[in-house]
Amino acid sequence: MLFNSFSFAIFLPIVFILYWALPQRFRWVLLLVSSYYFYMSWNPKYVVLILGTTFISYLCARLLYKTKNQTTKKLLVLGALVICLGTLFFFKYFNFFSESVTQIISLFSIQLSPVTLNVLLPVGISFYTFQTLSYVLDVYRGKVKPEKNFGVYATFISFFPQLVAGPIERTENLLPQITKPKVFDYDTATYGLKLMAWGFFKKLAIADVLGVYVDSAYYSVADCSGYDFVIMILFFTIQIYCDFSGYSDIAIGTAKLLGIDLMKNFDSPYFSSSIKEFWRRWHISLSTWFRDYVYIPLGGSRCSKLRNNINLMITFLVSGLWHGASWTFVIWGGIHGLGQIVEKYTIGKIKRDSRIKKILLTLLVFIFCNITWVFFRAQNLGEAFAVFAGLFSGITNPLSLTGGSVSISTLNALGIAICLPLLCVFDYCSLKFDVILKISALKKPVRWIIYVLFIWIILVFMPKTNASEFVYFQF
């Protein structure tokens, strides 16, 4: 069930009305049933996976809390890691691992056929697996106490607004809110609706529009010119941000309708003046997850410079692999890790004591992101290198950068010209204040004019096709 589908437009109001109509003690039950129905709408068979992962992590945490023996505790954690990550590996990485091993063996003139599985990747498996693992590790560290009620814990893992593509919530933030007494708050609910509207704007009026041109260009790389490559790279940079941050905004806004606060997942990342800052602003829930459960346990920065750099590279390589079972994702993560290491000893030492310096550094980081997103979007390394080859082939002939095959309709060109400046203004202003609250504080006629114009823009410029999936569903 997509957020941008008619079925969700029916599903959410029903859940919302029932949730606030029910007594507090029954609300988590409604959330649990609704969340499992939401997940089963994708593929009913895979509900067994999320239920099994939930039960294993729940049982492990309960046993961890009861035992005092450190060896037993470590074995329990190891068992949870093996089972949960093993399930993730089987569905997401088995084919990649098999094909990679076969390719390596072929270098020694030994020809083998890779063993592959014809299985679909369960939607959201990377997200809820990490959420269960962080819960087990937090209990192991004594950071939180295990939840006694299995149903409440299952609701925490399967909470439908963030189940499929995050934010990857932490135990101490979301779990207590499942059963916490709540009173309906009009301001919180309307704020959630406005945040959802902003998310739909980014998804429908920007990401989906740009995605049409990005897809058409990547499907015919051999026919593209230098101009096409410039456009497709820039458009995907904007598309991936609007698509994923749009999903996060809708998820956070939906949760607010139910009186639940989810963590912020994006914070104007393209206004970052360093790669390190970019990762503090991009997919914050995942970045902090890798920081707390991979980078710091490896030693973090409390070690030698060499070891710190190794820790950084390992974290980003694993982060890249988390995004997808392909060498393109591993390289994408590795480049970002290497970029941070190089940055520490070069532009990282530049003082940002003037507006000009900050603007130039921000532009440099934006260009870096544009280039690295090519590996993220390309289907394979060959396609990624073909894009770069096509991009630079026109250097000696500037005319090749014009008159490409990418054709943008007048309506879409107008939509892009209107929507992208709105996005930039919103993101820039959000660094200083809450834009939604600021608009909500305007006089009623003024803010309603803004609301009506905003909805009109979405309806006019959104693609008139079937609802498209969010990009991060594939992870």
Side-chain angles (χ1 to χ4, degrees):
M1 187 187 301
L2 296 168
F3 281 164
N4 51 326
S5 66
F6 182 71
S7 56
F8 186 76
I10 298 174
F11 169 81
L12 182 58
I14 293 174
V15 174
F16 173 78
I17 293 171
L18 291 177
Y19 181 82
W20 290 111
L22 285 171
Q24 174 63 43
R25 65 182 183 277
F26 296 126
R27 287 176 182 170
W28 70 264
V29 179
L30 174 68
L31 289 181
L32 179 61
V33 173
S34 302
S35 297
Y36 269 77
Y37 173 81
F38 179 85
Y39 190 75
M40 290 173 69
S41 68
W42 300 96
N43 191 326
K45 296 178 182 178
Y46 288 145
V47 73
V48 176
L49 293 177
I50 187 172
L51 186 60
T53 302
T54 301
F55 178 74
I56 292 297
S57 56
Y58 168 81
L59 181 61
C60 179
R62 295 290 296 158
L63 294 174
L64 277 171
Y65 189 69
K66 291 180 179 180
T67 184
K68 302 299 180 183
N69 186 283
Q70 288 300 315
T71 302
T72 304
K73 284 188 173 183
K74 290 179 180 179
L75 288 174
L76 286 169
V77 172
L78 179 61
L81 290 173
V82 169
I83 294 173
C84 295
L85 291 179
T87 303
L88 178 62
F89 173 85
F90 177 81
F91 283 94
K92 189 171 183 177
Y93 300 106
F94 182 87
N95 289 350
F96 170 67
F97 178 79
S98 178
E99 292 169 356
S100 298
V101 169
T102 302
Q103 290 172 0
I104 293 173
I105 292 176
S106 68
L107 297 176
F108 299 94
S109 300
I110 301 175
Q111 300 301 321
L112 296 174
S113 297
V115 178
T116 57
L117 302 172
N118 186 23
V119 293
L120 293 174
L121 179 66
V123 65
I125 188 171
S126 298
F127 290 89
Y128 68 70
T129 297
F130 270 30
Q131 194 154 310
T132 57
L133 291 179
S134 63
Y135 169 76
V136 171
L137 291 171
D138 285 348
V139 172
Y140 171 72
R141 295 172 177 177
K143 189 175 180 180
V144 298
K145 292 182 179 180
E147 173 59 47
K148 295 180 180 180
N149 188 320
F150 176 74
V152 172
Y153 174 67
T155 306
F156 157 67
I157 297 299
S158 64
F159 185 50
F160 75 87
Q162 49 91 222
L163 171 61
V164 177
I168 303 172
E169 271 298 340
R170 300 303 180 84
T171 308
E172 64 271 21
N173 179 46
L174 179 56
L175 186 55
Q177 295 188 73
I178 301 297
T179 55
K180 181 181 179 181
K182 304 178 189 68
V183 177
F184 178 76
D185 183 77
Y186 175 80
D187 291 335
T188 300
T190 54
Y191 184 94
L193 286 173
K194 293 168 188 175
L195 186 58
M196 290 176 67
W198 179 244
F200 281 120
F201 166 77
K202 288 193 283 188
K203 168 62 176 173
L204 300 176
I206 300 180
D208 284 356
V209 173
L210 299 182
V212 172
Y213 299 103
V214 171
D215 291 344
S216 64
Y218 268 99
Y219 289 151
S220 56
V221 170
D223 300 325
C224 291
S225 69
Y227 166 84
D228 296 323
F229 290 120
V230 171
I231 294 297
M232 67 191 280
I233 291 173
L234 177 61
F235 275 13
F236 182 71
T237 296
I238 302 169
Q239 179 201 358
I240 187 67
Y241 168 60
C242 288
D243 193 282
F244 192 23
S245 67
Y247 178 93
S248 295
D249 288 341
I250 298 169
I252 296 169
T254 300
K256 283 188 178 296
L257 289 176
L258 304 172
I260 294 176
D261 292 320
L262 298 180
M263 69 180 296
K264 190 174 185 178
N265 214 18
F266 289 87
D267 187 19
S268 306
Y270 289 146
F271 282 100
S272 304
S273 58
S274 70
I275 304 172
K276 183 178 181 180
E277 183 183 0
F278 172 81
W279 281 102
R280 286 201 302 265
R281 297 175 178 274
W282 177 275
H283 201 173
I284 299 170
S285 64
L286 182 68
S287 298
T288 53
W289 197 99
F290 275 108
R291 179 197 66 196
D292 295 343
Y293 300 104
V294 178
Y295 178 68
I296 292 177
L298 285 173
S301 58
R302 296 183 178 181
C303 51
S304 66
K305 291 183 179 180
L306 176 61
R307 180 62 190 179
N308 174 237
N309 292 337
I310 292 174
N311 294 341
L312 200 59
M313 279 301 299
I314 291 174
T315 302
F316 273 92
L317 287 172
V318 175
S319 173
L321 187 61
W322 177 90
H323 281 83
S326 171
W327 286 111
T328 54
F329 291 108
V330 176
I331 290 175
W332 170 76
I335 293 175
H336 271 273
L338 182 61
Q340 284 207 43
I341 294 172
V342 173
E343 182 180 74
K344 285 194 298 183
Y345 304 105
T346 53
I347 62 174
K349 296 183 179 294
I350 299 176
K351 292 183 178 180
R352 291 155 175 76
D353 52 357
S354 70
R355 185 179 294 273
I356 297 298
K357 284 183 181 179
K358 192 168 184 179
I359 291 174
L360 291 175
L361 289 173
T362 300
L363 181 61
L364 184 62
V365 172
F366 183 70
I367 293 172
F368 173 83
C369 290
N370 272 262
I371 294 172
T372 55
W373 282 130
V374 173
F375 289 102
F376 193 95
R377 176 59 180 79
Q379 295 297 313
N380 50 60
L381 290 176
E383 187 174 79
F385 292 137
V387 171
F388 289 124
L391 178 65
F392 293 109
S393 64
I395 290 179
T396 57
N397 181 19
L399 293 178
S400 69
L401 294 176
T402 63
S405 61
V406 173
S407 177
I408 303 175
S409 68
T410 302
L411 179 63
N412 286 345
L414 178 62
I416 293 170
I418 292 174
C419 296
L420 291 190
L422 286 176
L423 174 70
C424 292
V425 170
F426 186 99
D427 275 13
Y428 180 77
C429 291
S430 66
L431 294 173
K432 301 179 179 180
F433 53 82
D434 190 314
V435 178
I436 293 177
L437 287 180
K438 203 77 170 179
I439 294 175
S440 300
L442 296 173
K443 292 182 178 180
K444 191 173 182 178
V446 177
R447 68 172 184 265
W448 273 102
I449 289 174
I450 294 174
Y451 297 155
V452 172
L453 284 174
F454 187 70
I455 294 172
W456 178 82
I457 289 173
I458 295 176
L459 295 176
V460 169
F461 296 117
M462 64 181 284
K464 306 305 185 289
T465 57
N466 294 331
S468 62
E469 286 192 355
F470 291 82
V471 174
Y472 262 67
F473 280 14
Q474 62 184 297
F475 309 132

